[in-house]
Amino acid sequence: MTSLLPTSARPGRPAAGGARPTPAGGEPGQPRPLVAVAALGGLAAALAPLVVCLGIGVVGWFASDAGAHGTPRDGLRVGALGWLVAHGSGVRVDGAAVTALPLGLTLLCALVTWRFSLRVGEALAGHGPDADRIGDGERDWTVGTAVVVLTASYAVVLTVAHTLAATPATAPSLPAALRWTLVLGLVVVLPAVAVGSGRAAIWLASLPGVVREIADLARRVVVAWSLAALALLVVALLVDLGTAANVLAQLHTSVGEALLICALCLLLLPNAVLCAGAYLLGPGFAVGTGTVVSPTVVVLGPVPMVPLLAALPDSGDVPAWTPWLVAVPVLLAALVAGRHLRRHPADRWDAAALRGAGGGVLAGVVLGLLAALAGGAVGPGRMQQLGPAALEVLVHAVTALGVGGLVGALVVHAWSRRSRRDDTEPAV
């Protein structure tokens, strides 16, 4: 946080006896205006993925029938609608509501927003009061102001895109998209600006060490769980790869259309990973009203002809070994917690228990929230329900990961204490 450094050490300030540098776009020695920097960052964060979606829409329009039907404007509208759907607006297709998020595109928008917000934070590092003024009681509103302005400019682009692309037939919801933009501002923009400006390091330093350790352990558990779910999905796809190829063959698609379908599957890959994770946790997920896919029971009806759905198990009796998959989250949390305690030992058993159980429970809460994003309606009739039941996933995840983290932390702590005691005992 350069605003807390001595005046001579701040960016844009001259060293003793040196010349005053001239920042790009500003007057000598003057920092760039906060509002302008944040507003431009928000516009860039919104426009970058939107332009990509518009381009893909035009390419898709031409690839589907070589441009024989419609106009390039139709392709642009489809691209803009896809970008809006990634922000939770939903859309109607032939009268049927589609509310599911294509999380691959949503994640791309979040990553782009993170990068631009980080740059905004770096550009504003020299703004705000210095250490003396903060010591006198002055508030530092740099991060808050930048987050508000950046999110507002992002919302302006979203509103303009909705105005130009929405039709009575598609009816995307602008309030829902704006609510998602607000979530993006709180979850992505705020921490990115804080990190880039250096404020995050100061804020985190004031937190108790156990809080930072629990958060770090929870992050590692979520990453490990995601990799395990991805591995399960890949194995299931490889086992039924022929089915996926048959689906593409039955669709009688051209090369361009087949590539578009594969691109759509990539956009839905995070949704599939979250469903696979819900399967590992036990509750499973639905692929239509009245269906369930879990380690203990599989009940399916007709499903859409999407190659990614070839990973689904066959409906009916499940193999004898699949119910044992529910032990994977417990073992995974135990291994991650044990490894974390080996790298960062705890002084007492209660501290180890708190870290292991707290990290597992926090990871379970995060996974429950993510599961709520993985489903929704994707069509009429039975297809109005798809994805995991978020509440059930939350309960199973908190229980399994919390218990696993607790056991792993205590086992490693006990082993470490015994090893240290053996090392200190004198040899006979």
Side-chain angles (χ1 to χ4, degrees):
M1 181 175 174
T2 55
S3 62
L4 301 184
L5 296 176
T7 302
S8 60
R10 291 192 207 169
R13 303 281 185 176
R20 184 181 297 271
T22 303
E27 297 190 4
Q30 296 298 322
R32 288 173 288 183
L34 184 152
V35 173
V37 172
L40 289 176
L43 294 176
L47 288 172
L50 175 58
V51 170
V52 173
C53 290
L54 295 177
I56 293 176
V58 173
V59 171
W61 161 78
F62 184 81
S64 58
D65 55 7
H69 299 87
T71 63
R73 183 176 180 179
D74 297 322
L76 292 174
R77 177 176 288 111
V78 170
L81 288 175
W83 183 75
L84 290 171
V85 170
H87 290 77
S89 70
V91 71
R92 300 191 72 85
V93 180
D94 295 332
V98 176
T99 60
L101 290 168
L103 288 180
L105 184 54
T106 303
L107 182 60
L108 174 63
C109 294
L111 289 175
V112 172
T113 302
W114 173 273
R115 292 299 304 170
F116 279 103
S117 300
L118 199 65
R119 296 291 299 274
V120 168
E122 293 171 354
L124 300 179
H127 285 255
D130 57 20
D132 294 333
R133 291 162 59 189
I134 291 178
D136 293 336
E138 184 174 346
R139 298 289 185 180
D140 182 8
W141 300 106
T142 302
V143 173
T145 304
V147 170
V148 170
V149 173
L150 194 153
T151 305
S153 62
Y154 194 107
V156 168
V157 176
L158 188 143
T159 303
V160 172
H162 178 275
T163 302
L164 297 178
T167 63
T170 56
S173 172
L174 179 60
L178 290 176
R179 287 195 297 270
W180 184 256
T181 303
L182 179 60
V183 173
L184 192 70
L186 294 175
V187 176
V188 177
V189 177
L190 175 59
V193 173
V195 170
S197 63
R199 271 68 170 179
I202 297 174
W203 297 344
L204 292 176
S206 63
L207 291 176
V210 65
V211 175
R212 297 196 300 269
E213 291 166 353
I214 288 175
D216 182 57
L217 176 56
R219 178 185 63 84
R220 294 176 185 274
V221 171
V222 171
V223 171
W225 174 89
S226 302
L227 294 175
L230 178 60
L232 175 64
L233 176 63
V234 171
V235 171
L237 274 175
L238 292 177
V239 170
D240 284 328
L241 191 59
T243 303
N246 289 335
V247 169
L248 276 177
Q250 293 177 23
L251 291 175
H252 303 291
T253 58
S254 64
V255 175
E257 292 170 338
L259 291 176
L260 287 177
I261 292 175
C262 293
L264 177 62
C265 290
L266 287 177
L267 293 180
L268 298 176
L269 183 61
N271 301 68
V273 170
L274 290 172
C275 288
Y279 179 90
L280 283 176
L281 288 167
F285 56 95
V287 191
T289 304
T291 65
V292 61
V293 180
S294 72
T296 56
V297 59
V298 178
V299 178
L300 287 173
V303 297
M305 296 185 67
V306 178
L308 195 60
L309 295 181
L312 292 174
D314 296 330
S315 184
D317 296 334
V318 299
W321 58 270
T322 57
W324 292 98
L325 289 175
V326 296
V328 171
V330 180
L331 296 175
L332 184 145
L335 290 173
V336 174
R339 186 176 182 184
H340 190 271
L341 263 293
R342 287 189 62 185
R343 293 184 174 181
H344 308 282
D347 296 331
R348 305 184 311 275
W349 68 268
D350 55 340
L354 177 61
R355 190 190 307 177
V361 169
L362 180 58
V365 172
V366 172
L367 296 181
L369 295 175
L370 291 176
L373 304 177
V378 294
R382 296 175 59 254
M383 291 297 102
Q384 294 180 25
Q385 182 181 354
L386 185 144
L391 183 58
E392 294 183 15
V393 171
L394 173 64
V395 173
H396 282 73
V398 167
T399 303
L401 300 179
V403 170
L406 174 62
V407 172
L410 290 179
V411 168
V412 171
H413 179 69
W415 177 82
S416 299
R417 289 190 62 182
R418 182 177 179 180
S419 298
R420 289 195 298 268
R421 185 169 60 250
D422 292 341
D423 292 339
T424 57
E425 288 181 355
V428 179

